[in-house]
Amino acid sequence: MAKQGSLVPLKMLLFSFHATNTIILSFLPLYLAYKGLNGTEIGWVLAIGPLASIFAQPFWGYISDKYKTVKKVLLICVMGLLIFSTVFFQMNSLISIMFMGAVFYFFTTPIGGLGDSLAQRRADELSISFGSIRTWGSVGFATSSLIIGEILSRYGVQYMIWPYLFFGFIALLVVTQVKDVKVESEPVKLKDINILVQNKAFLFFLLAILFLSIAHRTNDSFIGLYITELGGSEALVGWGWFAGVITEALVFATAGFWYKKYHPLVFVMVAGILYSIRWFIYGTADSPMFVIGLQFLHGITFGVFYLAALDYVTRLIPKLLQSTGHLVYYAVFFGISGIIGSLTGGAIMDHYNGSTLYYTMGFISLIGTIAMFIYHVMFSRIRSVNN
């Protein structure tokens, strides 16, 4: 019971961080539009976060492995979140927003990856489902999207900094109570990262999921603008995210019952097929309620895909490099794909419309799904060994 009780601060950390994350993910594009930026400029700002994460994720993962602590790195990053978000929201020009955004994201983007890495290790220690811990992040995300959507719809998106700082301070309080994990006896050395670089299965897997994650990250950036393009309000944007993330939370919460029945790669491939179908359907939308009504697909695409892909990555990398490997995965999933999705998505929204964007995302996901099936065939021997 004492071990189980020690999970409460970790669950609250995931809850509060993802509550802040939904504010940025759901409403920052609307906030930037309020500031007077067009679709292409919004795309440039949104690309700064993924760009920063490419450097920040491996850097903080390396520091975590080298000094054998996840908790202290999380504490530094949450403090950076509070300090630099305050400065970021004071900026008005495109250049200043992009510059401070880079600093802000450098501290913010690794928190999700480090939190999930910590949750994965704690789940292994206690022999429980990772999803039973990670679901609290989804609950925080869903709760925040619904409540903050209603608040911003009533008072204005320009006040989004206040709820952001509120949840950020909760994260700061609970991270001090989080139990650190037992790490490997030897600290990681910079040259050890070559182990990841030389792991062909790991690299090909990252390449395969890149296409699926590009479409996913494009949706993250522009679904809010798509809903407003179709006539929706900030409140409906919040409801859209709430509907999606609630199903994600259910997937994570019930993972212990269904997840072990098949190899994680099977779930990744199934999620890829569903992703492709999902985006093509979204492209046919003619009202915001149509999109919101189909948001239940978020859980059975992202929820299944993320859980299975993270587990598979864990199988492909040595324990000594768990944090580094997880955050390299994060750099691809939320970094490179986020840059491509933000830049191309903003341009398509400016020159065409949201429907065209989602049809494009459907084709990109289809390419990723085919690549995943090719990976399955090429590395079936490794898959069998790790099964």
Side-chain angles (χ1 to χ4, degrees):
M1 291 297 292
K3 286 186 176 181
Q4 291 288 347
S6 70
L7 290 176
V8 173
L10 177 57
K11 292 177 179 178
M12 286 303 300
L13 172 64
L14 295 176
F15 178 96
S16 54
F17 168 71
H18 285 280
T20 66
N21 198 35
T22 188
I23 296 172
I24 294 294
L25 198 59
S26 304
F27 302 109
L28 183 59
L30 303 181
Y31 175 81
L32 295 173
Y34 166 82
K35 287 276 188 176
L37 277 62
N38 61 35
T40 301
E41 291 172 334
I42 291 173
W44 277 99
V45 175
L46 296 180
I48 289 295
L51 178 61
S53 75
I54 292 176
F55 300 97
Q57 303 279 22
F59 172 79
W60 290 113
Y62 168 74
I63 294 297
S64 173
D65 285 336
K66 181 175 179 62
Y67 294 100
K68 300 188 291 184
T69 176
V70 177
K71 176 180 177 178
K72 291 179 181 178
V73 175
L74 277 169
L75 181 60
I76 293 171
C77 289
V78 172
M79 292 175 65
L81 177 152
L82 289 170
I83 295 170
F84 294 108
S85 66
T86 304
V87 181
F88 172 68
F89 279 102
Q90 307 308 311
M91 301 296 102
N92 293 301
S93 69
L94 177 61
I95 298 300
S96 62
I97 290 173
M98 292 179 67
F99 176 77
M100 284 311 306
V103 179
F104 161 63
Y105 280 119
F106 184 80
F107 286 91
T108 305
T109 53
I111 297 175
L114 287 167
D116 285 358
S117 180
L118 185 60
Q120 181 78 62
R121 296 188 192 189
R122 294 286 288 125
D124 290 342
E125 282 184 0
L126 299 174
S127 298
I128 61 175
S129 167
F130 163 71
S132 67
I133 304 176
R134 179 57 176 80
T135 189
W136 286 93
S138 300
V139 172
F141 197 111
T143 303
S144 177
S145 65
L146 185 61
I147 296 174
I148 304 308
E150 293 290 341
I151 292 174
L152 297 183
S153 182
R154 178 173 300 183
Y155 296 103
V157 73
Q158 66 269 30
Y159 297 111
M160 63 180 284
I161 185 175
W162 298 112
Y164 186 82
L165 292 177
F166 172 76
F167 285 114
F169 274 111
I170 294 178
L172 181 64
L173 292 176
V174 296
V175 75
T176 60
Q177 304 302 312
V178 167
K179 183 180 183 297
D180 220 342
V181 290
K182 181 181 179 181
V183 296
E184 302 303 309
S185 57
E186 292 296 327
V188 67
K189 300 179 178 63
L190 190 59
K191 64 179 182 180
D192 292 334
I193 298 178
N194 288 331
I195 298 174
L196 295 181
V197 176
Q198 295 169 3
N199 189 329
K200 293 181 180 179
F202 179 58
L203 295 181
F204 196 101
F205 182 74
L206 293 181
L207 178 63
I209 68 169
L210 178 62
F211 290 94
L212 291 169
S213 57
I214 285 174
H216 173 82
R217 292 292 287 143
T218 304
N219 177 70
D220 283 350
S221 296
F222 294 102
I223 189 173
L225 291 178
Y226 188 40
I227 288 174
T228 56
E229 179 186 285
L230 294 171
S233 64
E234 288 88 349
L236 286 181
V237 173
W239 274 102
W241 278 107
F242 176 79
V245 180
I246 278 296
T247 60
E248 174 191 310
L250 290 174
V251 168
F252 284 138
T254 59
F257 297 99
W258 55 264
Y259 180 62
K260 300 301 181 182
K261 293 183 178 180
Y262 299 99
H263 192 277
L265 201 57
V266 174
F267 290 108
V268 173
M269 292 187 291
V270 170
I273 295 171
L274 295 176
Y275 259 135
S276 304
I277 296 172
R278 178 186 177 190
W279 304 139
F280 282 124
I281 295 176
Y282 276 35
T284 67
D286 57 2
S287 74
M289 294 308 298
F290 182 86
V291 175
I292 294 169
L294 289 171
Q295 273 292 87
F296 75 92
L297 291 170
H298 176 80
I300 58 177
T301 50
F302 172 72
V304 172
F305 178 80
Y306 180 79
L307 187 66
L310 184 64
D311 185 14
Y312 189 69
V313 166
T314 302
R315 299 178 184 217
L316 288 177
I317 55 181
K319 290 184 178 180
L320 182 62
L321 296 169
Q322 288 288 287
S323 287
T324 304
H326 286 161
L327 293 186
V328 169
Y329 161 72
Y330 255 71
V332 172
F333 195 109
F334 296 104
I336 296 174
S337 59
I339 295 172
I340 298 172
S342 295
L343 294 179
T344 57
I348 292 174
M349 289 288 283
D350 251 358
H351 294 90
Y352 299 98
N353 53 36
S355 179
T356 302
L357 176 62
Y358 276 88
Y359 283 131
T360 304
M361 289 159 54
F363 282 111
I364 293 173
S365 290
L366 189 58
I367 293 172
T369 303
I370 294 171
M372 191 57 64
F373 275 88
I374 293 173
Y375 171 86
H376 168 67
V377 173
M378 290 179 62
F379 293 92
S380 58
R381 181 182 59 82
I382 295 177
R383 189 181 73 82
S384 298
V385 170
N386 290 325
N387 196 2

